Amino acid sequence: GAVVSQHPSWVICKSGTSVKIECRSLDFQATTMFWYRQFPKQSLMLMATSNEGSKATYEQGVEKDKFLINHASLTLSTLTVTSAHPEDSSFYICSAPQGVSYEQYFGPGTRLTVT
Amino acid sequence: AQSVTQPDIHITVSEGASLELRCNYSYGATPYLFWYVQSPGQGLQLLLKYFSGDTLVQGIKGFEAEFKRSQSSFNLRKPSVHWSDAAEYFCAVVSLLGGGADGLTFGKGTHLIIQP
């Protein structure tokens, strides 16, 4: 089956710094990838849609200047949390659809802690 | 806008007993429906999905779900749960009209606890 990886799996950073999270489709190409955010014991909320070769589409209420998304190739999307603050601490998960089934394959997630 | 409701935040079931997790969706057209499971420290795993056809779908790990359009429901069932089934379960929907270019809308999840 299709595999999506994320790196790093967890990261701790200081308030005010920026953090980059990578999402890779390992055995298939993904022109679209999705970024979700999950707070502890809560559901996943779609943050943005990453499109290869074009600008990302952000969900209402998501700051595009804080969460920078770049889809540089057909297998890689990156999410950069800029000027991170403690309230940005969360579990960030990416996914990519494959084929015509609309099924999405999820990465294992990245735990971000901002101190 | 589409939405997914999972009315049960926590469910406790004895090992070996049957299980039903509820999911209701709100969407104007026929949605694509999914059930995912998330174990502690692990990523989301797809249990099953419904796109069209037979309204009773079989998934992995002995799970099944039934799509009922009249009730806007897609409940997940398992005849006999195992201790390893303890996890967080999410129902999700995606727009058919989006052509696969839309992200999933998730329910808030149901935390399943298995009693020995």
Side-chain angles (χ1 to χ4, degrees):
Chain A
V3 179
V4 175
S5 69
Q6 282 185 242
H7 178 80
S9 56
W10 59 271
V11 58
I12 301 173
C13 71
K14 292 187 176 181
S15 186
T17 62
S18 296
V19 175
K20 179 184 286 188
I21 302 170
E22 293 184 349
C23 176
R24 292 181 185 273
S25 56
L26 297 186
D27 50 2
F28 67 102
Q29 293 182 333
T31 56
T32 300
M33 291 184 175
F34 302 100
W35 287 95
Y36 297 85
R37 183 174 181 176
Q38 185 180 29
F39 289 105
K41 299 187 184 301
Q42 294 190 29
S43 186
L44 286 81
M45 297 297 294
L46 179 66
M47 298 176 63
T49 302
S50 174
N51 303 299
E52 190 270 335
S54 64
K55 292 183 178 180
T57 304
Y58 292 82
E59 296 299 301
Q60 191 173 9
V62 177
E63 299 176 60
K64 61 179 67 177
D65 294 331
K66 166 168 275 298
F67 300 100
L68 300 180
I69 291 173
N70 183 270
H71 199 139
S73 74
L74 288 173
T75 60
L76 173 64
S77 174
T78 60
L79 169 68
T80 301
V81 183
T82 63
S83 187
H85 289 100
E87 56 265 32
D88 298 325
S89 298
S90 190
F91 196 50
Y92 293 89
I93 306 171
C94 71
S95 74
Q98 189 211 25
V100 297
S101 67
Y102 300 86
E103 181 175 339
Q104 293 188 20
Y105 294 87
F106 285 83
T110 296
R111 175 78 58 194
L112 170 62
T113 301
V114 184
T115 61
Chain B
Q2 58 202 35
S3 65
V4 177
T5 301
Q6 292 180 249
D8 304 305
I9 299 175
H10 300 278
I11 281 188
T12 301
V13 179
S14 297
E15 190 170 15
S18 63
L19 168 71
E20 182 170 34
L21 302 181
R22 296 183 290 167
C23 171
N24 292 95
Y25 67 91
S26 173
Y27 187 65
T30 300
Y32 282 179
L33 293 157
F34 306 84
W35 274 100
Y36 286 89
V37 61
Q38 186 181 39
S39 298
Q42 297 188 25
L44 287 164
Q45 182 180 24
L46 178 68
L47 288 176
L48 46 77
K49 59 193 176 190
Y50 173 77
F51 293 152
S52 64
D54 192 346
T55 56
L56 183 64
V57 293
Q58 302 297 321
I60 62 171
K61 302 184 178 184
F63 286 93
E64 66 176 28
E66 186 171 12
F67 172 65
K68 293 185 177 180
R69 184 189 302 275
S70 61
Q71 299 177 19
S72 297
S73 69
F74 188 57
N75 294 348
L76 182 72
R77 300 194 294 250
K78 186 170 185 177
S80 176
V81 298
H82 186 262
W83 63 266
S84 60
D85 292 324
E88 193 78 20
Y89 290 80
F90 293 98
C91 182
V93 63
V94 70
S95 168
L96 170 65
L97 298 177
D102 294 339
L104 295 177
T105 299
F106 284 85
K108 292 186 180 297
T110 297
H111 185 65
L112 176 63
I113 301 168
I114 306 297
Q115 283 183 335

